[in-house]
């Protein structure tokens, strides 16, 4: 029952403009609008004139926002948010000339985070990770993807995934977990990458049986795993009916985007070196290109993703923080939007779509990312005069209120 004149309300906001992102172009702007929800679901997202003459006659809370804009809640579709410690020393090393691969080969990089995660118990890991999640929520995020990949053994991967689930429960937001044990080769498997992939595949059904895995990822790169090893992980995921995504073509064109597209994958992420053939494969499969401008910025990369090809082939582009301790210590998805506009020349509309409807698609979700009756009541009220300000301002607090499932979370 979606008729606002008849439905009871849990909440109704009037006196705002809406950027619904509903449709294939533009912000989906509605001026002098109203947004109403019931039982965690949007029941009205349209002109205020479509409401009864006296909105206060409706049951439920009514708020006159007095201006500003409401957008869908932001979706951060690629994060490594659960970790222990930091890697600030590597930041200094890079500024002194060391590159990503050199740091990794000298025992830094992912393996330094592995040591820290293995040493932390679950409570300590949760205590360190929650503030990062809260920062993202305060800046408008209502759905988070969180990867494992810093445990690289069964207990460590399980611990990370359990913490990710607990973050969602603690903050009242949507959290989707991704199994990324094929992230790096742990020291105990040095020189035995195929044997480690055997272990990764053996752990997966056990963790899935505990309800800890929503999707499966891998790092297909010359310092990660090759295409044949990645294929084995994806085949194991397919056996369990789990969707896949991939860290693809970040440092070289390893045909990763084409591989994940072959498996009907949700997304290919990074994609700086993806070839035109890879782009075409993604387009045919409906695979989303997830742009990660935070890592591009921190690593001072110069190779741009094939943005014109993505546009030409109508590959949806998402934007995410890639929040991680080494290459993208970024705690604002809105800042990622700004970096995507600055470095990749996305328009503000493309960046906002990239953190709402396209990011939701990168998680395989069609119940969020737009303001439309029947979708989740995940939305943000912003103190702005026009949507482009979300990408214009560098820093600062623009979110006046953040709602997830109809409940205020920030």
């Amino acid at each position: 029952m979606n008729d606002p004149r008849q439905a009871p309300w849990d909440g109704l906001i009037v006196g705002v403009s809406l950027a619904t992102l509903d449709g294939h172009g533009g912000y989906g702007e509605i001026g002098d609008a109203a947004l109403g929800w019931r039982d965690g679901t949007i029941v009205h997202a349209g002109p205020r004139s479509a409401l009864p003459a006296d909105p206060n006659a409706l049951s439920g809370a009514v708020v006159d926002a007095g201006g500003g804009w409401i957008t869908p809640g932001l979706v951060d579709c690629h994060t490594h948010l659960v970790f222990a410690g930091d890697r600030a020393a590597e930041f200094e090393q890079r500024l002194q000339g060391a590159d990503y691969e050199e740091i990794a080969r000298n025992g830094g990089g992912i393996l330094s985070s592995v040591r820290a995660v293995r040493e932390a118990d679950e409570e300590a890991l949760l205590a360190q990770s929650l503030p990062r999640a809260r920062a993202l929520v305060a800046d408008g995020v209502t759905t988070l993807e969180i990867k494992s990949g810093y445990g690289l053994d069964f207990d460590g991967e399980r611990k990370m995934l359990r913490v990710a689930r607990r973050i969602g429960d603690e903050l009242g937001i949507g959290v989707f977990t991704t199994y990324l044990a094929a992230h790096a080769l742990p020291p105990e498997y040095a020189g035995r990458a195929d044997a480690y992939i055997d272990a990764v595949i053996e752990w997966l059904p056990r963790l899935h049986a505990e309800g800890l895995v929503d999707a499966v990822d891998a790092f297909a790169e010359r310092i990660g795993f090759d295409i044949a090893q990645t294929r084995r992980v994806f085949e194991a995921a397919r056996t369990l009916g789990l969707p896949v995504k991939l860290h693809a073509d970040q440092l070289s064109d390893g045909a990763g985007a084409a591989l994940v597209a072959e498996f009907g994958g949700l997304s290919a992420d990074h994609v700086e070196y993806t070839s035109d053939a890879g782009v075409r494969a993604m387009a045919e499969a409906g695979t989303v290109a997830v742009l990660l401008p935070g890592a591009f910025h921190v690593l001072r990369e110069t190779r741009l993703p094939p943005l014109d090809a993505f546009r030409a082939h109508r590959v949806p582009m998402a934007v995410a923080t890639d929040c991680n301790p080494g290459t993208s210590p970024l705690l604002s998805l809105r800042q990622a939007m700004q970096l995507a506009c600055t470095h990749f020349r996305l328009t503000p509309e493309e960046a906002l779509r990239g953190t709402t409807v396209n990011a939701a698609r990168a998680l395989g979700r069609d119940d969020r990312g737009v303001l439309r009756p029947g979708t989740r009541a995940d939305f943000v009220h912003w103190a702005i005069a026009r949507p482009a300000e979300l990408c214009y301002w560098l820093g600062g607090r623009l979110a006046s209120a953040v709602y997830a499932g109809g409940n205020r979370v920030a």
Side-chain angles (χ1 to χ4, degrees):
M1 186 169 63
N2 290 336
D3 184 351
R5 294 176 174 81
Q6 299 177 12
W9 299 78
D10 293 333
L12 176 69
I13 298 177
V14 298
V16 292
S17 296
L18 301 183
T20 67
L21 281 299
D22 196 9
H24 297 293
Y27 291 109
E29 300 178 27
I30 302 175
D32 192 18
L35 183 75
W37 65 95
R38 182 181 70 253
D39 297 330
T41 300
I42 294 173
V43 294
H44 178 75
R48 184 174 183 172
S49 60
L51 296 170
D54 180 12
N56 292 296
L58 298 164
S59 60
V62 179
V63 174
D64 189 331
W69 283 76
I70 289 179
T71 71
L74 304 186
V75 178
D76 198 348
C77 64
H78 181 129
T79 85
H80 304 257
L81 183 138
V82 172
F83 59 84
D86 64 57
R87 279 152 54 189
E90 294 178 17
F91 176 69
E92 291 186 295
Q93 291 170 30
R94 282 195 299 272
L95 293 175
Q96 294 165 1
D99 64 20
Y100 183 82
E101 295 183 53
E102 179 183 351
I103 290 169
R105 291 195 181 100
N106 290 332
I110 292 168
L111 293 183
S112 65
S113 292
V114 171
R115 291 190 293 272
V117 165
R118 289 181 175 183
E119 291 169 1
D121 64 22
E122 186 173 315
E123 295 303 320
L125 196 56
L126 177 66
Q128 292 188 53
S129 302
L130 267 174
R132 294 188 282 269
R134 287 196 176 100
L136 289 167
V137 171
D139 207 32
V141 170
T142 56
T143 298
L144 271 173
E145 185 259 16
I146 301 177
K147 303 178 190 295
S148 66
Y150 293 137
L152 306 190
D153 59 18
F154 178 79
D155 290 338
E157 295 292 293
R158 182 175 184 266
K159 177 171 58 179
M160 291 186 68
L161 293 167
R162 282 174 54 87
V163 167
R165 287 280 190 245
R166 291 178 66 183
I167 287 171
D169 294 339
E170 180 82 16
L171 300 185
I173 61 171
V175 168
F176 293 86
T177 54
T178 298
Y179 177 65
L180 182 59
H183 195 196
L185 190 64
E188 61 269 26
Y189 280 90
R192 298 187 297 130
D194 286 330
Y196 179 64
I197 292 297
D198 290 340
V200 168
I201 292 169
E202 191 270 328
W203 302 333
L204 175 57
R206 296 164 62 187
L207 295 169
H208 179 48
E210 293 187 32
L212 294 176
V213 181
D214 296 320
V216 174
D217 195 352
F219 185 33
E221 193 53 76
R222 58 196 178 209
I223 60 171
F225 297 94
D226 65 29
I227 291 296
Q229 292 159 345
T230 303
R231 180 182 293 278
R232 291 177 58 204
V233 175
F234 281 3
E235 288 171 346
R238 183 162 59 188
T239 298
L240 295 171
L242 287 167
V244 297
K245 52 181 61 185
L246 187 64
H247 286 62
D249 308 332
Q250 178 185 7
L251 305 174
S252 63
D253 179 13
L259 176 68
V260 72
E262 177 188 332
F263 280 80
L266 294 174
S267 68
D269 302 28
H270 287 289
V271 294
E272 280 90 338
Y273 284 84
T274 295
S275 67
D276 192 62
V279 173
R280 290 196 303 271
M282 291 172 65
E284 292 172 6
T287 299
V288 177
V290 177
L291 308 179
L292 303 173
F296 184 93
H297 178 78
V298 170
L299 294 174
R300 295 182 293 170
E301 296 287 358
T302 57
R303 173 69 175 247
L304 294 172
L307 302 163
D308 289 340
F310 288 144
R311 292 183 180 109
H313 292 284
R314 298 185 178 180
V315 174
M317 292 184 288
V319 176
T321 62
D322 192 18
C323 174
N324 75 72
T327 61
S328 188
L330 180 56
L331 296 177
S332 166
L333 184 52
R334 194 172 58 78
Q335 184 66 65
M337 293 163 63
Q338 205 285 331
L339 291 173
C341 292
T342 300
H343 288 306
F344 299 160
R345 300 296 191 267
L346 263 62
T347 68
E349 180 206 329
E350 287 178 320
L352 184 55
R353 284 188 173 275
T355 54
T356 53
V357 59
N358 289 347
R361 182 172 174 177
L363 297 180
R365 307 299 302 190
D366 60 6
D367 63 344
R368 66 199 69 201
V370 297
L371 301 179
R372 179 197 304 143
T375 59
R376 277 178 54 90
D378 291 356
F379 60 91
V380 186
H381 179 226
W382 304 95
I384 57 176
R386 56 188 58 82
E389 289 187 54
L390 298 177
C391 300
Y392 166 71
W393 291 106
L394 290 163
R397 176 74 183 269
L398 299 184
S400 299
V402 182
Y403 287 78
N407 299 310
R408 185 166 180 175
V409 292

